[in-house]
Amino acid sequence: MIQDFRKGIQKMKHIYQKGKDLSKPTLLLLHGTGGNELDLMPLAGMIDEDASVLSVRGNVLENGMPRFFKRLAEGVFDEEDLIFRTKELNQFLNEAAEQYEFDRDNMIAIGYSNGANIAASLLLHYENSLKGAILHHPMVPRRNMALPDLTGKSVFIAAGTNDPICSPQESEELYSLLEQANATVELHWENRGHQLTADEVAAAAKWYQNK
Ligand code: MLT
């Protein structure tokens, strides 16, 4: 029998920072391609300086660059790996909640690019995995699947009108998909490309305070 080594769930490198106010959601930080668990730490403080933070490094390496799942080409995802890595991350979150004693049902993801894609994938595959998500420049992680019921979940999408990686059509498609799944979704546009801008982080912070 040929053993598929991809089937082994791996541990995930991460940083956990306990917040001042444990009634706040735990912020789950998910970096973009080539990033790591340190990248988005400053963002957490801009969203909620009292919240606990769990920042995770993707387990996949593409030419030495960490990612959360494999891709076959730019914008073409390895669906089998996406499904497996989404399960792996969800399981890691369950274990981390036990280890660090935070409320597993009160977690908000903040993801950029590849990290936003795995956050969207968590929402689509595990309907109780996240209470909400801030998705900076996400794509549609998977199509043609039965939609979950995301009633009560809130999602903020920040997209760029000139984003060459996540086209405006794809941002709109993800918006509609999440709406069809009953999530409350806000789509914020920047007249920029794929970069994470200070303005969109400020808009995300406002969304977080009002949601
Ligand atoms: C991906 O998941 O591949 C992203 O959307 C693009 C990137 O991370 O470069």
Side-chain angles (χ1 to χ4, degrees):
M1 195 185 92
I2 299 169
Q3 210 179 338
D4 184 353
F5 290 103
R6 279 169 43 166
K7 296 294 175 251
I9 297 265
Q10 293 169 28
K11 283 190 184 309
M12 300 196 80
K13 203 159 186 205
H14 65 279
I15 297 170
Y16 178 71
Q17 194 175 279
K18 193 171 178 174
K20 288 192 213 108
D21 184 347
L22 300 184
S23 70
K24 293 290 188 76
T26 298
L27 302 178
L28 169 67
L29 306 183
L30 302 164
H31 62 79
T33 300
N36 64 38
E37 66 280 15
L38 294 169
D39 285 10
L40 301 184
M41 289 300 285
L43 232 61
M46 294 178 204
I47 300 297
D48 189 339
E49 58 183 13
D50 294 329
S52 300
V53 179
L54 179 65
S55 189
V56 185
R57 184 187 299 194
N59 268 345
V60 166
L61 279 180
E62 181 187 276
N63 302 322
M65 297 185 297
R67 283 178 56 87
F68 286 94
F69 55 89
K70 290 185 189 168
R71 61 180 162 183
L72 306 172
E74 180 145 326
V76 185
F77 301 149
D78 177 332
E79 197 164 293
E80 193 190 332
D81 193 60
L82 170 71
I83 293 167
F84 170 66
R85 296 293 170 189
T86 305
K87 178 177 168 195
E88 180 179 64
L89 178 57
N90 190 48
Q91 194 160 314
F92 167 74
L93 298 178
N94 295 341
E95 287 163 12
E98 275 191 27
Q99 184 183 346
Y100 298 117
E101 300 178 329
F102 62 79
D103 181 358
R104 178 68 187 88
D105 296 327
N106 194 12
M107 177 167 259
I108 294 201
I110 304 176
Y112 169 59
S113 192
N114 183 245
N117 294 341
I118 194 98
S121 181
L122 273 176
L123 284 165
L124 293 175
H125 288 99
Y126 298 95
E127 61 188 11
N128 292 315
S129 176
L130 298 172
K131 196 176 147 203
I134 296 173
L135 307 176
H136 294 281
H137 304 268
M139 296 170 70
V140 176
R142 207 183 147 197
R143 292 184 170 84
N144 306 319
M145 60 184 291
L147 289 178
D149 181 7
L150 297 176
T151 302
K153 320 282 178 200
S154 308
V155 182
F156 177 88
I157 299 175
T161 51
N162 296 310
D163 190 330
I165 297 172
C166 311
S167 70
Q169 292 84 343
E170 186 140 358
S171 309
E172 302 269 12
E173 190 185 340
L174 182 63
Y175 172 83
S176 327
L177 214 59
L178 292 169
E179 280 230 309
Q180 280 165 43
N182 303 320
T184 306
V185 197
E186 184 175 320
L187 177 52
H188 170 88
W189 289 104
E190 293 281 317
N191 288 325
R192 303 289 288 270
H194 194 59
Q195 66 268 51
L196 210 174
T197 69
D199 284 349
E200 73 191 54
V201 175
K206 205 164 159 200
W207 168 87
Y208 176 88
Q209 277 147 26
N210 297 327
K211 71 165 175 43

